Amino acid sequence: MANTTPIARSQISIVGPTAVVDGWEISTVTSSAALTLRDESHLTKVVVRSTDGAPVASQLPGNGTARHVGDTLQIGSAPSEWYLMAKGATTASLVDGLDLPGASGYAAWTDVTHGRALVRLTGADSAKMLSKLCAINLADSVTPNGRAFRTSIAGVNTDIIRDDVNTVRSYLLHCERSSGQYLFDALLDAGIEFGIEPTGAGA
Amino acid sequence: MSAAGNWRLSPQPGEVIDRSTKVNFTWNGTAVSGFAGDTIVSALMANGEQLMSRSFKYHRPRGVMTATFFDPNCSFQVGNEPNVRGAHRLVKDGDVVQAQNAWPSLKYDVRSANQAVGRFLGPGFYYKTFIKPQPLWPAYQKVLSTFAPGGKPPAIGTPHEIFDKRYAHPDVLVVGAGPAGIAAAIEAGRAGASVILVEEEYEIGGHLRFGGPAELAHLATLRAEVAALENVEVLTDSVVSGRYDDNWVGVIQRSGVWSKERMIKARVGTLVVAAGLIERPFVFEGNDLPGVMLSTAALRLTGLHAVKPGTSAVVFTANSTGDAAIERLTQSGVTIARIVDARKGETIRRALGRGHVSGVELGNGSKVQADLLVTATGWTAPTSLLNMAGDRPVWDATAARFSPADDLPSTVMATGGILGDGTTEELIAHGRAVGAEAARRATGAAPVEIPDLGRDPHPALFQSSTVGFVDFSEDVKNKDVVSAAKEGYDSSELAKRFTTSAMGPAQGKYEMINTMAVLADATNRDFQSTGTTVWRPPYAPISLGALAGRSFEPTRVSPLQGWHEAHGVEPLIAGQWIRPEHYGDPQAEALNVRTNVGIIDVTPLGKFDIQGPDAVKLLNLVYTNQWDNLAIGSVRYGVMCAEDGVVLDDGVTARLGEDRYLMTVTSSGAATVWEWMEMWLQTVHPDWQVLITPITTGMASINIAGPNSRELLSRITDIDLDPQTFPYMKVREGVVAGVENCIVWRIGFTGELSYEIHVPASYALHVWETLIDNGQDLGISAFGIEAQRILRLEKGHLIVGQDTDGLTQAHSAGLGPLIKQAKEDFAGKQELAWQEARDGDYPHLVAIETVDPALVPPEASQIVRGNNEIVGRVTSSRMSPTLRRSVALAQVPKNLSTPGSRLTIVLPNGSRAVAVVREDLAFVDPEGVRLRG
């Protein structure tokens, strides 16, 4: 068998210097722009689904909401569907403690680390920028921090989580991996008027 | 008139020009200058230019009339942009401005000869004259189209600017930033509402901007108040194009954004319409001559742009705005030759002059010399947005204008001049109350009392005793409307369409009321019963670019796309997917697979992770064949049919664990199959414990095909590839090229020994390059979709959607052995039972060989018999590099499906080709020796 060292690569191409961290090639570009876009596709990602009545539902956030539990972001992304994400975690650790077999109902999880492109948009103008691509009302009264929803961004079916960073407005957006580069480019294009810059996950 | 000299006034208190910044541009080829903040028109007038355009039909000379966006006489060609509103567009350094609709020059336009035959060019002239003989219409059309007005659009292929869009969800959206509108926005903002204030001009303020010191003081206060509110977004040079159901409001931003224009799609809590009033022209002979303008135009030109519009003026006034114009003109050094006060019963009869006003004939027949005639004869309420909200305005005979009826939905309110008159203080007070109430309605605060805003009496002035224009854009006169009424077009809607009055760019803002007044006179009706036509969106002309907005066309690519591009791939656009069609020579790629080894990126293959104790029930339901006995580690091919028995999709599914399956479906069918399975689970079997997760792009798929594929794969995996332990139609999980959690399938679409590797997508490039590196001595090369299609056709494998269509039931696709009627149930079972009972009397998929082996009949070629009766079609065809002859599949009727049947194929050039039906669908290796080796 060939002696090889696999390197994981995001669907979103990297411009500028890179480093390999935890087996992933990531950008080390640093931006101090007021509005930044960062590829976080390297986060470990798991989707949990259940049938009605499965006990796992009571262990995870409700539909449309997200919360941090330790290093893990738990997202109620749809009825009986949750995404769990964390940096550098194993898939097993993300679902550890969840009542997946269940006494009633049924639940299962699938590793989607490599199947979802994930980016983070951060900055005070992030909502204004997203409003160019997305028809959802992004006002605090409707989509406050911790809100999760699924909508079309530039024509791509995208999951959005309002996940502010140190009180700065921030959104996580993830979509099917194959559309990741398109989504990233569309976001950068929409952000030109706000001075958006890509920043690296390794920055 | 083009008068040399300085027409620029000394600095004015409210002027918007920046005298420290000079702007140079050309006007019909002549160098002209202005100041930053000048519109094209104000800059031209400051240089003494009064002639701005030629009219639509008669090519009459025209000058500034309203000095607004909608000025019907001021559309220009600016560079390659046609129909630029010159009384609104700010002039830029380097602009190349040209008049439209004039030849050979604006001053000497030969088509002005139309005026001489004007009496024959009345309403309906074209319809009546050119309707017969009908065969000549194309010729007429060719000639008449040369008379069409307007500028020249940029040539196809000219680089265009960016138009984009934005969504907004304000609690309150205020249309119009006059005193009432600004006050409404301020108060709504102070109540905590999110507010958008939309203003058509470049600055907020409305008529306060060109008012006196008191008005300017009010304006300064309002501007400061609105600027202090972060929750009030002010959009200038923007227009609300329409109001639709549920307060969906379109806003066009014409500038102030990074793109050329932007459409905002706003879902509004409360819409406040504060659109003010539009000054109405008066109809009299010569009312279109350069030098005739509205009082608000005179105030704008002098107050905002410091331009003197003439030297000696007659002012025909019926209101305070006309009085203010008199005062302003006097201050500007214009001699007031005569004030004609309609409130005293005075009137004018006609404007005198050719090419420009030289005097005015008054109602009493006396004549006054003047180069400027200013009229202030009434107002039109721009009720468009209210109409769009369901309001049907009523005619107020005392005020001589329409006003909103009391029938607005609770989510729409009005304030300011559109509703009533008042002092500036009263307008502001009303606006504040409406703004607060608008916020309350949107956010649920306490109710607010709104003061009354009455309407001042105003003389009803529409036309004099002479013949003049009611529509300046369309060259329609009052006598044309009378003619229309006499011909029976006496309803407002019919008269409008017959005369085309109010159908020009201003869309009735200046024309509608006068047209209807003339019609009412001609038909002896009052105004209310005559009515107006219905105002529809858009309120203002919108560029097609703004409507189109940003073009979003999502694409999907595999993680190997970069490699493909770096290696000269010819892309294949397959829906959203961009796939590798070939790398230069698909025939050679196919042949290499038959002789050595090739790899292909098949990542778009639809993939579903299916888990749960009832997973096998789902498989049995959606597939036609049996799934109860599939062992762990085994793979089975299956066909899905809709309930009508038509083939929906196909693919292979592997059993990875006790309750876990990995299903693959066609790339194009992935979304449909997911919906199909979820439909069954959610609507018919919600009790089943089975969950489906699409993982199409989570796992990149690489197919290794060819006699050397086993050797190649063995070099990079620890999975035992011995054909005894890992035979055809089995699946294994393991490490490939150092990547864990790979799934290796022993399957093949090409008819060759092949393995399909599903790799966690982030490692796809690593695995692909490792295969390339390790396969050099084995003759490895990448192959694309075209080679794959050749190979699968040689093997006789069908493609759903290619060899089937929307009517192809499973038996017609040769899938009979896969239909297990003994199963309890599956989708399409009954229909397929009925098809089977027809004893083969349905189309059949067959392999065919043309008698001429070099002839490849194009796909979709018809198969005919007898007298050109169409009985079938070629579904797939290629030249086989393996067999060096054409190979094809076809759908034919039962009686032509038996081996040896001769078919007649119609080729695109009309000639016929003969083909023979083969015994087997597979052209290459029908026994499957290579596949199972």
Side-chain angles (χ1 to χ4, degrees), chain A residues 2 4 110 131 176 189 193, chain B residues 167 262 550 556 609 715 737:
Chain A
T4 54
T110 301
S131 73
E176 249 214 315
D189 179 76
E193 65 178 294
Chain B
Y167 298 92
R262 171 182 290 168
R550 205 78 158 131
R556 304 178 70 183
D609 179 19
R715 295 177 180 182

Side-chain angles (χ1 to χ4, degrees), chain B residues 452-654:
Chain B
D452 288 335
L453 199 59
R455 280 174 293 281
D456 295 339
H458 195 288
L461 297 171
F462 306 108
Q463 60 177 334
S464 76
S465 57
T466 53
V467 173
F469 286 92
V470 292
D471 189 319
F472 301 86
S473 302
E474 297 285 301
D475 267 0
V476 180
K477 297 177 181 177
N478 48 359
K479 70 169 187 178
D480 297 326
V481 178
V482 174
S483 295
K486 287 178 178 174
E487 290 197 52
Y489 300 98
D490 55 359
S491 84
S492 55
E493 295 287 357
L494 287 177
K496 170 186 170 179
R497 283 159 181 80
F498 186 64
T499 63
T500 70
S501 187
M503 291 175 68
Q507 286 287 290
K509 293 173 183 62
Y510 303 114
E511 307 90 353
M512 181 61 71
I513 300 300
N514 286 338
T515 301
M516 294 307 127
V518 173
L519 185 64
D521 270 0
T523 56
N524 292 318
R525 288 176 295 184
D526 62 26
F527 213 107
Q528 185 67 42
S529 60
T530 304
T532 66
T533 55
V534 176
W535 303 77
R536 297 184 181 87
Y539 171 77
I542 301 173
S543 67
L544 293 175
L547 287 174
R550 205 78 158 131
S551 173
F552 294 121
E553 294 179 12
T555 55
R556 304 178 70 183
V557 294
S558 94
L560 298 168
Q561 180 65 16
W563 189 96
H564 301 319
E565 290 175 5
H567 290 79
V569 73
E570 182 68 25
L572 171 71
I573 311 298
Q576 289 188 343
W577 280 101
I578 300 174
R579 307 188 64 180
E581 179 154 23
H582 61 80
Y583 303 87
D585 187 349
Q587 290 274 313
E589 291 168 19
L591 204 53
N592 189 60
V593 171
R594 290 273 181 252
T595 53
N596 295 305
V597 61
I599 57 174
I600 181 173
D601 175 9
V602 289
T603 297
L605 191 73
K607 297 178 273 289
F608 298 101
D609 179 19
I610 301 176
Q611 298 187 59
D614 293 325
V616 71
K617 289 183 182 175
L618 176 67
L619 298 177
N620 273 325
L621 179 65
V622 297
Y623 281 132
T624 61
N625 53 342
Q626 183 62 256
W627 291 84
D628 289 320
N629 55 355
L630 185 68
I632 294 173
S634 291
V635 176
R636 184 163 291 167
Y637 174 77
V639 174
M640 292 183 193
C641 290
E643 289 189 281
D644 56 5
V646 170
V647 178
L648 187 69
D649 206 274
D650 69 345
V652 290
T653 293

Side-chain angles (χ1 to χ4, degrees), chain A residues 59-81:
Chain A
Q59 297 179 289
L60 293 168
N63 179 28
T65 60
R67 69 186 181 204
H68 288 272
V69 177
D71 294 333
T72 302
L73 178 62
Q74 299 180 335
I75 306 151
S77 50
S80 302
E81 180 191 283

Side-chain angles (χ1 to χ4, degrees), chain A residues 11-32:
Chain A
Q11 186 76 17
I12 298 162
S13 58
I14 298 174
V15 177
T18 64
V20 176
V21 177
D22 295 335
W24 283 82
E25 182 185 47
I26 58 174
S27 166
T28 56
V29 170
T30 303
S31 170
S32 58

Side-chain angles (χ1 to χ4, degrees), chain A residues 1-11 22-24 41 47-52 80-81 104-116 128 130-139 141 150 153-157 176-182 186 189-190 192-194, chain B residues 162 164-169 233 257-258 262 550-561 576-577 609 611-613 659-660 674 678 686 688-699 714-719 735-739 741 760-763 765-766 769-770 774:
Chain A
M1 194 175 81
N3 181 20
T4 54
T5 306
I7 296 175
R9 294 180 174 90
S10 163
Q11 186 76 17
D22 295 335
W24 283 82
S41 298
V47 62
V48 176
R49 294 172 193 268
S50 79
T51 56
D52 286 346
S80 302
E81 180 191 283
S104 61
Y106 178 75
W109 62 274
T110 301
D111 178 5
V112 291
T113 301
H114 307 281
R116 305 290 293 179
K128 279 186 187 171
L130 278 180
S131 73
K132 294 176 65 178
L133 305 170
C134 155
I136 297 294
N137 188 346
L138 299 171
S141 57
R150 182 171 291 160
I153 297 284
V156 175
N157 190 356
E176 249 214 315
R177 178 190 176 100
S178 57
S179 299
Q181 185 70 55
Y182 172 85
D189 179 76
I192 290 173
E193 65 178 294
F194 303 101
Chain B
I162 293 172
D164 71 350
K165 70 177 177 183
R166 180 192 141 194
Y167 298 92
H169 303 79
E233 182 180 8
V257 289
W258 75 291
R262 171 182 290 168
R550 205 78 158 131
S551 173
F552 294 121
E553 294 179 12
T555 55
R556 304 178 70 183
V557 294
S558 94
L560 298 168
Q561 180 65 16
Q576 289 188 343
W577 280 101
D609 179 19
Q611 298 187 59
D659 294 328
R660 187 166 200 168
W674 187 21
E678 287 290 352
W688 285 4
Q689 296 196 338
V690 54
L691 299 165
I692 306 164
T693 302
I695 55 167
T696 296
T697 54
M699 302 292 277
S714 70
R715 295 177 180 182
I716 65 168
T717 184
D718 57 0
I719 296 172
V735 177
V736 177
V739 177
N741 301 319
S762 304
Y763 298 103
L765 181 61
H766 169 82
E769 290 182 329
T770 303
N774 284 271

